[in-house]
Amino acid sequence: MNRMIRIAAAATLALSLSGPWGAAFAQAAAINGEVKKIDEGAGKITLKHGPAKSLGMDEPMTMVYRVKDPTLLKQVKVGDKVRFEAQEGDGGFTVTAIQKAK
């Protein structure tokens, strides 16, 4: 019985993340930062950002990130305040989404 409750809870969570509430959860993982440097040739961006709990970073820092899609670099310029999402992989951290902050 306890196993069935856990399965039902996991299914409910998965459905809620795929619905309209999923966007709200995705926003919670967004990191605020500022573009410091863009290297289109290497597909990298340097971002100064606050704590990035989703990446296990508790302190603000400036870091170089790879970008998942090089066209992301054309959406921002040095000095822009941004919100971005990133993930950790075998080769380091990669920006998967970025947009100018409002």
Side-chain angles (χ1 to χ4, degrees):
M1 179 75 166
N2 200 10
R3 182 169 185 240
M4 287 179 59
I5 292 171
R6 281 187 274 157
I7 291 171
T12 301
L13 177 61
L15 286 173
S16 69
L17 290 176
S18 65
W21 294 105
F25 284 106
Q27 286 297 324
I31 304 159
N32 293 314
E34 179 183 348
V35 178
K36 297 308 247 178
K37 182 179 177 184
I38 296 173
D39 185 345
E40 286 188 49
K44 295 181 179 180
I45 187 168
T46 303
L47 297 165
K48 178 180 178 182
H49 60 80
K53 302 287 186 184
S54 61
L55 301 175
M57 300 175 196
D58 293 330
E59 300 295 324
M61 62 184 69
T62 301
M63 255 180 80
V64 177
Y65 291 86
R66 296 171 197 239
V67 291
K68 182 176 181 178
D69 179 358
T71 62
L72 292 174
L73 297 176
K74 297 194 182 299
Q75 298 175 15
V76 296
K77 64 183 186 310
V78 173
D80 282 348
K81 303 288 186 197
V82 296
R83 289 182 56 80
F84 69 98
E85 294 180 15
Q87 61 188 26
E88 185 175 9
D90 293 336
F93 294 96
T94 302
V95 171
T96 56
I98 193 166
Q99 65 183 9
K100 290 182 185 179
K102 298 179 182 193

Coordinates of all heavy atoms in Angstrom, one line a residue:
M1 N 0.8 -1.2 0.0 CA 0.0 0.0 0.0 C 0.9 1.3 0.0 O 0.6 2.2 -0.7 CB -0.9 0.0 1.2 CG -1.8 1.2 1.3 SD -3.1 1.0 0.2 CE -4.2 2.3 0.8
N2 N 1.9 1.3 0.8 CA 2.8 2.4 0.9 C 3.5 2.7 -0.4 O 3.7 3.8 -0.8 CB 3.8 2.2 2.0 CG 4.4 3.5 2.5 OD1 4.0 4.6 2.1 ND2 5.5 3.4 3.3
R3 N 3.9 1.6 -1.1 CA 4.5 1.7 -2.4 C 3.6 2.3 -3.4 O 4.0 3.2 -4.3 CB 5.0 0.3 -2.9 CG 5.7 0.4 -4.2 CD 6.4 -1.0 -4.5 NE 7.1 -0.8 -5.7 CZ 6.9 -1.6 -6.8 NH1 6.0 -2.5 -6.8 NH2 7.7 -1.4 -7.9
M4 N 2.3 2.0 -3.4 CA 1.3 2.5 -4.3 C 1.1 4.0 -4.1 O 1.0 4.8 -5.0 CB 0.0 1.8 -4.2 CG 0.0 0.4 -4.7 SD -1.6 -0.5 -4.5 CE -2.7 0.6 -5.4
I5 N 1.2 4.5 -2.8 CA 1.1 5.9 -2.5 C 2.3 6.6 -3.1 O 2.1 7.7 -3.7 CB 1.0 6.1 -1.0 CG1 -0.4 5.6 -0.5 CG2 1.1 7.6 -0.7 CD1 -0.5 5.5 1.0
R6 N 3.5 6.1 -3.0 CA 4.7 6.7 -3.5 C 4.6 6.8 -5.1 O 5.0 7.8 -5.6 CB 5.9 6.0 -3.1 CG 6.3 6.3 -1.7 CD 7.6 5.8 -1.3 NE 7.3 4.4 -0.8 CZ 8.1 3.4 -0.8 NH1 9.4 3.5 -1.2 NH2 7.8 2.2 -0.3
I7 N 4.1 5.8 -5.7 CA 4.0 5.8 -7.2 C 3.0 6.8 -7.6 O 3.2 7.6 -8.5 CB 3.6 4.4 -7.7 CG1 4.8 3.4 -7.5 CG2 3.2 4.4 -9.2 CD1 4.5 2.0 -7.7
A8 N 1.9 6.9 -6.9 CA 0.8 7.9 -7.2 C 1.4 9.3 -7.0 O 1.1 10.2 -7.8 CB -0.4 7.7 -6.4
A9 N 2.1 9.5 -6.0 CA 2.7 10.8 -5.7 C 3.7 11.2 -6.8 O 3.7 12.4 -7.3 CB 3.4 10.9 -4.3
A10 N 4.5 10.3 -7.2 CA 5.5 10.5 -8.3 C 4.8 10.9 -9.6 O 5.2 11.8 -10.3 CB 6.4 9.4 -8.4
A11 N 3.7 10.2 -9.9 CA 3.0 10.4 -11.1 C 2.3 11.8 -11.1 O 2.3 12.5 -12.1 CB 1.9 9.3 -11.3
T12 N 1.8 12.1 -9.9 CA 1.2 13.5 -9.8 C 2.2 14.6 -10.0 O 1.9 15.6 -10.6 CB 0.5 13.6 -8.4 OG1 -0.5 12.5 -8.3 CG2 -0.2 14.9 -8.2
L13 N 3.4 14.4 -9.4 CA 4.4 15.4 -9.5 C 4.8 15.5 -11.0 O 5.0 16.6 -11.5 CB 5.6 15.0 -8.7 CG 6.8 15.9 -8.8 CD1 6.5 17.4 -8.3 CD2 8.0 15.4 -7.9
A14 N 5.0 14.4 -11.7 CA 5.4 14.4 -13.1 C 4.4 15.2 -13.9 O 4.7 16.0 -14.8 CB 5.7 13.0 -13.6
L15 N 3.1 14.9 -13.7 CA 2.1 15.6 -14.4 C 2.0 17.1 -14.1 O 1.8 17.9 -15.0 CB 0.7 14.9 -14.1 CG 0.5 13.6 -14.8 CD1 -0.8 13.0 -14.2 CD2 0.5 13.7 -16.3
S16 N 2.2 17.4 -12.9 CA 2.2 18.9 -12.5 C 3.3 19.6 -13.2 O 3.2 20.8 -13.5 CB 2.2 19.1 -11.0 OG 3.4 18.7 -10.5
L17 N 4.5 19.0 -13.3 CA 5.6 19.7 -13.9 C 5.5 19.8 -15.4 O 6.0 20.7 -16.0 CB 6.9 18.9 -13.7 CG 7.4 18.9 -12.2 CD1 8.6 18.0 -12.0 CD2 7.7 20.3 -11.8
S18 N 4.7 19.0 -16.1 CA 4.5 19.1 -17.5 C 3.3 20.0 -17.9 O 3.2 20.4 -19.0 CB 4.2 17.7 -18.1 OG 3.0 17.2 -17.6
G19 N 2.5 20.4 -16.9 CA 1.4 21.3 -17.1 C 1.8 22.8 -17.0 O 3.0 23.1 -17.0
P20 N 0.8 23.6 -16.8 CA 1.1 25.1 -16.7 C 2.0 25.4 -15.5 O 2.6 26.4 -15.5 CB -0.3 25.7 -16.5 CG -1.2 24.6 -16.1 CD -0.6 23.4 -16.7
W21 N 2.0 24.6 -14.5 CA 2.9 24.9 -13.3 C 4.3 24.6 -13.6 O 5.2 25.0 -12.9 CB 2.4 24.0 -12.1 CG 1.1 24.5 -11.6 CD1 -0.1 23.8 -11.8 CD2 0.7 25.7 -11.0 NE1 -1.2 24.5 -11.3 CE2 -0.7 25.6 -10.7 CE3 1.4 26.7 -10.5 CZ2 -1.4 26.7 -10.1 CZ3 0.7 27.8 -9.9 CH2 -0.6 27.7 -9.7
G22 N 4.6 23.8 -14.7 CA 5.9 23.4 -15.0 C 6.8 24.7 -15.3 O 8.0 24.7 -14.9
A23 N 6.2 25.7 -15.9 CA 6.9 26.9 -16.2 C 7.3 27.6 -15.0 O 8.4 28.2 -14.9 CB 6.1 27.8 -17.1
A24 N 6.5 27.6 -14.0 CA 6.8 28.2 -12.7 C 8.0 27.5 -12.0 O 8.9 28.2 -11.5 CB 5.6 28.2 -11.8
F25 N 8.0 26.2 -12.1 CA 9.2 25.5 -11.5 C 10.4 25.8 -12.3 O 11.5 25.9 -11.7 CB 8.9 23.9 -11.5 CG 7.9 23.5 -10.4 CD1 6.6 23.2 -10.7 CD2 8.4 23.5 -9.1 CE1 5.8 22.8 -9.7 CE2 7.5 23.2 -8.1 CZ 6.2 22.8 -8.4
A26 N 10.3 25.9 -13.6 CA 11.5 26.2 -14.4 C 12.0 27.6 -14.1 O 13.2 27.8 -14.1 CB 11.1 26.1 -15.9
Q27 N 11.2 28.5 -13.8 CA 11.6 29.9 -13.5 C 12.4 29.8 -12.2 O 13.3 30.6 -12.0 CB 10.4 30.8 -13.4 CG 9.9 31.2 -14.7 CD 10.9 32.0 -15.6 OE1 11.7 32.8 -15.1 NE2 10.9 31.7 -16.9
A28 N 12.0 28.9 -11.3 CA 12.7 28.9 -10.0 C 14.2 28.5 -10.2 O 15.0 28.8 -9.4 CB 12.0 27.9 -9.1
A29 N 14.5 27.8 -11.2 CA 15.9 27.3 -11.5 C 16.7 28.4 -12.3 O 17.9 28.2 -12.4 CB 15.9 26.0 -12.3
A30 N 16.0 29.4 -12.7 CA 16.7 30.5 -13.5 C 17.7 31.2 -12.6 O 17.4 31.4 -11.4 CB 15.7 31.4 -14.1
I31 N 18.8 31.6 -13.1 CA 19.8 32.3 -12.4 C 20.0 33.7 -12.9 O 20.0 33.9 -14.1 CB 21.2 31.5 -12.5 CG1 21.0 30.1 -12.1 CG2 22.3 32.2 -11.7 CD1 22.1 29.1 -12.7
N32 N 20.1 34.7 -12.0 CA 20.3 36.1 -12.4 C 21.7 36.4 -12.6 O 22.6 35.9 -11.8 CB 19.7 37.0 -11.4 CG 18.2 36.9 -11.3 OD1 17.5 36.9 -12.3 ND2 17.7 36.8 -10.0
G33 N 22.1 37.1 -13.7 CA 23.5 37.4 -13.9 C 23.7 38.5 -14.8 O 22.7 39.2 -15.2
E34 N 25.0 38.8 -15.2 CA 25.3 39.8 -16.1 C 26.4 39.3 -17.0 O 27.3 38.6 -16.6 CB 25.9 41.0 -15.3 CG 26.4 42.2 -16.2 CD 27.1 43.3 -15.4 OE1 27.0 43.3 -14.1 OE2 27.7 44.1 -16.0
V35 N 26.2 39.6 -18.3 CA 27.1 39.2 -19.3 C 28.4 40.0 -19.2 O 28.4 41.2 -19.3 CB 26.5 39.3 -20.8 CG1 27.5 38.9 -21.8 CG2 25.2 38.5 -20.9
K36 N 29.6 39.3 -19.1 CA 30.8 40.0 -19.0 C 31.7 39.8 -20.2 O 32.5 40.7 -20.6 CB 31.6 39.4 -17.8 CG 31.0 39.6 -16.4 CD 30.7 41.1 -16.2 CE 31.5 41.7 -15.2 NZ 31.1 43.2 -15.0
K37 N 31.5 38.7 -20.9 CA 32.3 38.4 -22.2 C 31.5 37.4 -23.0 O 30.9 36.5 -22.5 CB 33.7 37.9 -21.8 CG 34.6 37.7 -23.0 CD 36.0 37.2 -22.5 CE 36.8 36.9 -23.7 NZ 38.1 36.4 -23.3
I38 N 31.6 37.6 -24.3 CA 31.1 36.6 -25.3 C 32.2 36.2 -26.2 O 32.8 37.0 -26.8 CB 29.9 37.2 -26.1 CG1 28.7 37.6 -25.1 CG2 29.4 36.3 -27.1 CD1 27.6 38.3 -25.7
D39 N 32.3 34.9 -26.4 CA 33.3 34.3 -27.3 C 32.5 33.4 -28.3 O 32.4 32.2 -28.1 CB 34.4 33.5 -26.6 CG 35.5 33.0 -27.5 OD1 35.3 33.0 -28.7 OD2 36.5 32.6 -27.0
E40 N 32.0 34.0 -29.4 CA 31.2 33.3 -30.3 C 32.0 32.2 -31.0 O 31.5 31.1 -31.2 CB 30.6 34.2 -31.4 CG 29.5 35.1 -30.9 CD 28.8 35.9 -32.0 OE1 28.4 35.3 -33.0 OE2 28.6 37.1 -31.8
G41 N 33.3 32.4 -31.3 CA 34.1 31.4 -32.0 C 34.2 30.1 -31.1 O 34.2 29.0 -31.7
A42 N 34.3 30.3 -29.8 CA 34.5 29.1 -28.9 C 33.1 28.6 -28.4 O 33.1 27.6 -27.7 CB 35.4 29.5 -27.8
G43 N 32.1 29.4 -28.7 CA 30.8 29.0 -28.1 C 30.7 29.1 -26.6 O 30.1 28.3 -26.0
K44 N 31.3 30.2 -26.1 CA 31.3 30.4 -24.6 C 30.9 31.8 -24.2 O 31.0 32.7 -25.0 CB 32.7 30.1 -24.1 CG 33.2 28.7 -24.3 CD 34.6 28.5 -23.7 CE 35.0 27.0 -23.9 NZ 36.4 26.8 -23.4
I45 N 30.4 31.9 -23.0 CA 30.0 33.1 -22.5 C 30.4 33.2 -21.0 O 30.4 32.2 -20.3 CB 28.4 33.3 -22.5 CG1 28.0 34.7 -22.1 CG2 27.7 32.2 -21.7 CD1 26.5 35.0 -22.5
T46 N 30.9 34.4 -20.6 CA 31.3 34.6 -19.2 C 30.2 35.4 -18.5 O 29.8 36.4 -19.0 CB 32.6 35.4 -19.2 OG1 33.6 34.7 -19.9 CG2 33.1 35.6 -17.7
L47 N 29.7 34.8 -17.4 CA 28.6 35.4 -16.7 C 29.0 35.6 -15.2 O 29.6 34.8 -14.6 CB 27.4 34.5 -16.7 CG 26.8 34.2 -18.1 CD1 25.9 33.0 -18.1 CD2 26.1 35.5 -18.6
K48 N 28.7 36.8 -14.7 CA 28.8 37.1 -13.3 C 27.4 36.9 -12.8 O 26.5 37.5 -13.3 CB 29.2 38.6 -13.1 CG 29.3 39.0 -11.7 CD 29.8 40.5 -11.6 CE 29.8 40.9 -10.2 NZ 30.2 42.3 -10.0
H49 N 27.3 36.0 -11.8 CA 26.0 35.7 -11.3 C 25.9 35.5 -9.7 O 27.0 35.3 -9.1 CB 25.4 34.5 -12.0 CG 26.3 33.2 -11.8 ND1 26.3 32.5 -10.6 CD2 27.2 32.7 -12.6 CE1 27.1 31.4 -10.8 NE2 27.7 31.5 -12.0
G50 N 24.8 35.5 -9.2 CA 24.5 35.3 -7.8 C 24.6 33.8 -7.6 O 24.9 33.0 -8.4
P51 N 24.2 33.4 -6.3 CA 24.1 32.0 -6.0 C 23.3 31.2 -7.1 O 22.3 31.7 -7.5 CB 23.5 31.9 -4.7 CG 23.7 33.3 -4.1 CD 23.7 34.2 -5.2
A52 N 23.8 30.0 -7.4 CA 23.1 29.2 -8.4 C 22.8 27.8 -7.7 O 23.5 26.9 -7.9 CB 24.0 29.0 -9.6
K53 N 21.8 27.8 -6.9 CA 21.5 26.6 -6.1 C 21.2 25.4 -7.0 O 21.6 24.3 -6.6 CB 20.2 26.9 -5.2 CG 20.3 28.1 -4.3 CD 21.2 27.8 -3.1 CE 21.2 29.0 -2.2 NZ 22.1 28.8 -1.1
S54 N 20.6 25.6 -8.2 CA 20.4 24.5 -9.1 C 21.7 23.8 -9.6 O 21.6 22.7 -10.0 CB 19.5 25.0 -10.3 OG 20.2 25.9 -11.0
L55 N 22.8 24.5 -9.5 CA 24.1 24.0 -9.9 C 25.0 23.7 -8.7 O 26.1 23.3 -8.9 CB 24.8 25.0 -10.8 CG 24.0 25.4 -12.1 CD1 24.8 26.5 -12.8 CD2 23.8 24.2 -13.0
G56 N 24.5 23.8 -7.5 CA 25.2 23.6 -6.3 C 26.2 24.7 -5.9 O 27.2 24.4 -5.2
M57 N 26.0 25.9 -6.4 CA 26.8 27.0 -6.1 C 26.2 27.9 -5.1 O 25.2 28.6 -5.5 CB 27.2 27.8 -7.4 CG 27.8 27.0 -8.5 SD 28.0 27.9 -10.0 CE 28.4 26.6 -11.1
D58 N 26.7 28.0 -3.9 CA 26.1 28.8 -2.9 C 26.6 30.2 -2.9 O 26.0 31.1 -2.2 CB 26.3 28.1 -1.5 CG 25.6 26.8 -1.4 OD1 24.5 26.6 -2.0 OD2 26.1 25.9 -0.7
E59 N 27.6 30.5 -3.6 CA 28.2 31.9 -3.5 C 28.2 32.5 -4.9 O 28.2 31.8 -5.9 CB 29.7 31.8 -3.1 CG 29.9 31.2 -1.7 CD 29.3 32.0 -0.6 OE1 29.3 33.3 -0.7 OE2 28.8 31.5 0.4
P60 N 28.1 33.8 -5.0 CA 28.1 34.5 -6.2 C 29.5 34.3 -6.9 O 30.5 34.2 -6.1 CB 27.9 36.0 -5.9 CG 27.4 36.0 -4.5 CD 27.9 34.8 -3.8
M61 N 29.6 34.4 -8.2 CA 30.9 34.2 -8.9 C 30.8 34.6 -10.3 O 29.7 34.8 -10.8 CB 31.4 32.7 -8.8 CG 30.4 31.7 -9.4 SD 31.0 30.0 -9.2 CE 30.7 29.8 -7.5
T62 N 31.9 34.7 -10.9 CA 32.0 34.9 -12.4 C 32.6 33.7 -13.0 O 33.7 33.2 -12.5 CB 32.9 36.1 -12.7 OG1 32.4 37.3 -12.0 CG2 33.0 36.4 -14.2
M63 N 31.9 33.1 -14.0 CA 32.3 31.9 -14.6 C 32.2 31.9 -16.1 O 31.3 32.6 -16.6 CB 31.4 30.8 -14.1 CG 32.0 29.9 -13.0 SD 30.9 28.6 -12.5 CE 30.9 27.5 -13.8
V64 N 33.0 31.1 -16.8 CA 32.8 30.9 -18.2 C 32.0 29.6 -18.4 O 32.2 28.6 -17.8 CB 34.2 30.6 -18.9 CG1 34.0 30.3 -20.4 CG2 35.1 31.8 -18.7
Y65 N 30.9 29.7 -19.2 CA 30.0 28.6 -19.5 C 30.1 28.3 -21.0 O 30.2 29.3 -21.8 CB 28.6 29.0 -19.2 CG 28.3 29.2 -17.8 CD1 28.5 30.4 -17.1 CD2 27.7 28.1 -17.0 CE1 28.2 30.5 -15.7 CE2 27.4 28.2 -15.7 CZ 27.7 29.4 -15.1 OH 27.3 29.6 -13.7
R66 N 29.9 27.1 -21.4 CA 29.7 26.7 -22.8 C 28.2 27.0 -23.0 O 27.4 27.1 -22.1 CB 29.9 25.3 -23.0 CG 31.3 24.9 -22.8 CD 31.5 23.3 -22.8 NE 32.7 23.0 -22.2 CZ 33.7 22.3 -22.8 NH1 33.5 21.9 -24.1 NH2 34.8 22.1 -22.2
V67 N 27.8 27.2 -24.3 CA 26.4 27.3 -24.6 C 25.9 26.1 -25.4 O 26.7 25.6 -26.3 CB 26.1 28.6 -25.4 CG1 26.3 29.8 -24.5 CG2 26.9 28.7 -26.6
K68 N 24.7 25.7 -25.1 CA 24.2 24.5 -25.8 C 24.0 24.8 -27.3 O 24.2 24.0 -28.1 CB 22.9 24.1 -25.1 CG 22.2 22.9 -25.7 CD 21.0 22.5 -24.9 CE 20.4 21.2 -25.5 NZ 19.2 20.8 -24.7
D69 N 23.5 26.0 -27.6 CA 23.2 26.4 -28.9 C 23.9 27.8 -29.2 O 23.5 28.8 -28.5 CB 21.7 26.6 -29.1 CG 21.2 27.0 -30.4 OD1 22.1 27.3 -31.3 OD2 20.0 27.1 -30.7
P70 N 24.8 27.8 -30.1 CA 25.5 29.1 -30.3 C 24.7 30.3 -30.7 O 25.1 31.4 -30.5 CB 26.5 28.7 -31.5 CG 26.6 27.2 -31.5 CD 25.3 26.7 -30.9
T71 N 23.4 30.1 -31.2 CA 22.6 31.2 -31.5 C 22.1 31.9 -30.2 O 21.7 33.1 -30.3 CB 21.3 30.7 -32.3 OG1 20.6 29.8 -31.5 CG2 21.7 30.1 -33.6
L72 N 22.3 31.3 -29.0 CA 21.9 32.0 -27.8 C 22.8 33.2 -27.6 O 22.4 34.2 -27.0 CB 22.1 31.0 -26.6 CG 21.2 29.8 -26.5 CD1 21.6 28.9 -25.3 CD2 19.7 30.3 -26.3
L73 N 24.0 33.1 -28.1 CA 25.0 34.2 -27.9 C 24.6 35.5 -28.7 O 25.0 36.6 -28.3 CB 26.4 33.8 -28.3 CG 27.0 32.7 -27.5 CD1 28.3 32.3 -28.1 CD2 27.1 33.0 -26.1
K74 N 23.8 35.3 -29.7 CA 23.3 36.5 -30.5 C 22.1 37.2 -29.8 O 21.8 38.3 -30.2 CB 22.9 36.0 -31.9 CG 24.1 35.4 -32.6 CD 23.8 35.3 -34.1 CE 24.9 34.7 -34.9 NZ 26.1 35.4 -34.8
Q75 N 21.6 36.6 -28.8 CA 20.4 37.2 -28.1 C 20.9 38.3 -27.0 O 20.0 39.0 -26.5 CB 19.6 36.2 -27.4 CG 19.0 35.2 -28.4 CD 18.3 34.0 -27.7 OE1 18.0 34.1 -26.5 NE2 18.0 33.0 -28.4
V76 N 22.1 38.3 -26.6 CA 22.6 39.1 -25.6 C 23.9 39.8 -26.0 O 24.6 39.4 -26.9 CB 22.8 38.3 -24.2 CG1 21.5 37.8 -23.7 CG2 23.8 37.2 -24.4
K77 N 24.3 40.9 -25.2 CA 25.6 41.5 -25.5 C 26.2 41.8 -24.1 O 25.6 41.7 -23.1 CB 25.4 42.8 -26.3 CG 24.6 43.9 -25.6 CD 24.4 45.1 -26.5 CE 23.7 46.3 -25.9 NZ 22.5 46.1 -25.2
V78 N 27.5 42.1 -24.1 CA 28.3 42.4 -22.9 C 27.6 43.6 -22.2 O 27.2 44.6 -22.8 CB 29.7 42.8 -23.3 CG1 30.5 43.3 -22.0 CG2 30.4 41.6 -23.9
G79 N 27.4 43.4 -20.9 CA 26.7 44.4 -20.0 C 25.3 44.1 -19.8 O 24.7 44.7 -18.8
D80 N 24.6 43.2 -20.6 CA 23.2 42.9 -20.4 C 23.0 42.2 -19.0 O 23.8 41.3 -18.7 CB 22.7 42.0 -21.5 CG 22.4 42.7 -22.8 OD1 22.4 44.0 -22.8 OD2 22.2 42.1 -23.8
K81 N 22.0 42.5 -18.4 CA 21.5 41.8 -17.2 C 20.6 40.6 -17.8 O 19.8 40.9 -18.7 CB 20.6 42.6 -16.3 CG 21.3 43.9 -15.8 CD 22.4 43.5 -14.8 CE 23.0 44.8 -14.2 NZ 24.2 44.6 -13.5
V82 N 20.8 39.4 -17.3 CA 20.2 38.3 -17.9 C 19.6 37.3 -16.8 O 20.0 37.4 -15.7 CB 21.1 37.5 -18.8 CG1 21.5 38.3 -20.0 CG2 22.3 37.0 -18.1
R83 N 18.8 36.4 -17.3 CA 18.3 35.3 -16.5 C 18.7 34.1 -17.4 O 18.4 34.1 -18.6 CB 16.8 35.3 -16.2 CG 16.4 36.4 -15.2 CD 15.0 36.4 -14.9 NE 14.4 35.2 -14.4 CZ 14.5 34.7 -13.2 NH1 15.1 35.4 -12.3 NH2 13.9 33.6 -12.8
F84 N 19.3 33.1 -16.8 CA 19.7 32.0 -17.6 C 19.5 30.7 -16.8 O 19.4 30.7 -15.6 CB 21.2 32.1 -18.0 CG 22.2 32.0 -16.9 CD1 22.9 30.8 -16.7 CD2 22.5 33.1 -16.2 CE1 23.9 30.7 -15.7 CE2 23.5 33.1 -15.2 CZ 24.2 31.9 -14.9
E85 N 19.5 29.6 -17.6 CA 19.5 28.2 -17.0 C 20.7 27.5 -17.5 O 21.1 27.7 -18.6 CB 18.2 27.5 -17.4 CG 17.0 28.2 -16.8 CD 15.7 27.5 -17.2 OE1 15.8 26.3 -17.7 OE2 14.6 28.1 -17.1
A86 N 21.2 26.6 -16.7 CA 22.4 25.9 -17.0 C 22.4 24.5 -16.4 O 21.6 24.3 -15.5 CB 23.7 26.6 -16.6
Q87 N 23.2 23.6 -17.0 CA 23.2 22.3 -16.4 C 24.7 21.8 -16.4 O 25.5 22.3 -17.2 CB 22.4 21.3 -17.2 CG 22.8 21.1 -18.6 CD 21.8 20.3 -19.4 OE1 20.6 20.2 -19.1 NE2 22.2 19.7 -20.5
E88 N 25.0 20.9 -15.5 CA 26.3 20.4 -15.4 C 26.5 19.1 -16.2 O 25.6 18.3 -16.2 CB 26.7 20.1 -13.9 CG 28.1 19.7 -13.7 CD 28.5 19.5 -12.3 OE1 27.6 19.6 -11.4 OE2 29.7 19.4 -12.0
G89 N 27.5 19.0 -16.9 CA 27.8 17.8 -17.7 C 29.2 17.4 -17.6 O 30.0 17.9 -16.8
D90 N 29.6 16.4 -18.4 CA 31.0 15.9 -18.3 C 32.0 16.9 -18.6 O 33.1 16.9 -18.0 CB 31.1 14.7 -19.3 CG 30.3 13.5 -18.9 OD1 30.0 13.4 -17.7 OD2 30.0 12.7 -19.8
G91 N 31.7 17.9 -19.5 CA 32.7 18.9 -19.9 C 32.6 20.2 -19.1 O 33.1 21.2 -19.5
G92 N 31.8 20.2 -18.0 CA 31.6 21.4 -17.2 C 30.2 21.9 -17.3 O 29.3 21.1 -17.4
F93 N 30.0 23.2 -17.2 CA 28.6 23.8 -17.1 C 28.3 24.3 -18.5 O 29.1 25.0 -19.1 CB 28.6 24.8 -16.0 CG 28.7 24.3 -14.6 CD1 30.0 24.3 -14.0 CD2 27.7 23.7 -14.0 CE1 30.1 23.8 -12.7 CE2 27.8 23.2 -12.7 CZ 29.1 23.3 -12.1
T94 N 27.0 24.1 -18.8 CA 26.5 24.6 -20.1 C 25.2 25.4 -20.0 O 24.3 24.9 -19.3 CB 26.2 23.4 -21.1 OG1 27.4 22.6 -21.2 CG2 25.7 23.8 -22.4
V95 N 25.2 26.6 -20.6 CA 24.0 27.4 -20.6 C 23.0 26.8 -21.6 O 23.4 26.6 -22.7 CB 24.3 28.9 -21.0 CG1 23.0 29.6 -21.2 CG2 25.1 29.5 -19.9
T96 N 21.8 26.5 -21.1 CA 20.8 25.9 -22.0 C 19.7 26.9 -22.4 O 19.0 26.6 -23.4 CB 20.1 24.7 -21.2 OG1 19.6 25.2 -20.0 CG2 21.1 23.6 -20.9
A97 N 19.6 28.0 -21.7 CA 18.6 29.0 -22.0 C 19.1 30.3 -21.5 O 19.7 30.4 -20.4 CB 17.3 28.7 -21.5
I98 N 18.9 31.4 -22.2 CA 19.3 32.8 -21.7 C 18.3 33.8 -22.3 O 17.9 33.7 -23.4 CB 20.8 33.1 -22.0 CG1 21.2 34.3 -21.2 CG2 21.0 33.2 -23.5 CD1 22.8 34.5 -21.2
Q99 N 18.0 34.8 -21.5 CA 17.2 35.9 -22.0 C 17.5 37.2 -21.2 O 18.0 37.1 -20.0 CB 15.7 35.6 -21.9 CG 15.2 35.5 -20.5 CD 13.7 35.1 -20.4 OE1 13.1 34.8 -21.4 NE2 13.1 35.1 -19.2
K100 N 17.4 38.3 -21.8 CA 17.6 39.6 -21.1 C 16.6 39.7 -19.9 O 15.4 39.3 -20.0 CB 17.4 40.8 -22.0 CG 18.5 40.9 -23.0 CD 18.3 42.1 -23.9 CE 19.3 42.1 -25.0 NZ 19.1 43.3 -25.9
A101 N 17.1 40.2 -18.8 CA 16.2 40.3 -17.6 C 15.3 41.5 -17.8 O 15.7 42.5 -18.5 CB 17.1 40.5 -16.4
K102 N 14.2 41.5 -17.3 CA 13.2 42.6 -17.4 C 13.2 43.5 -16.2 O 13.6 43.2 -15.1 CB 11.8 42.0 -17.6 CG 11.8 41.3 -18.9 CD 10.4 40.7 -19.1 CE 10.5 39.8 -20.4 NZ 9.3 39.4 -21.0

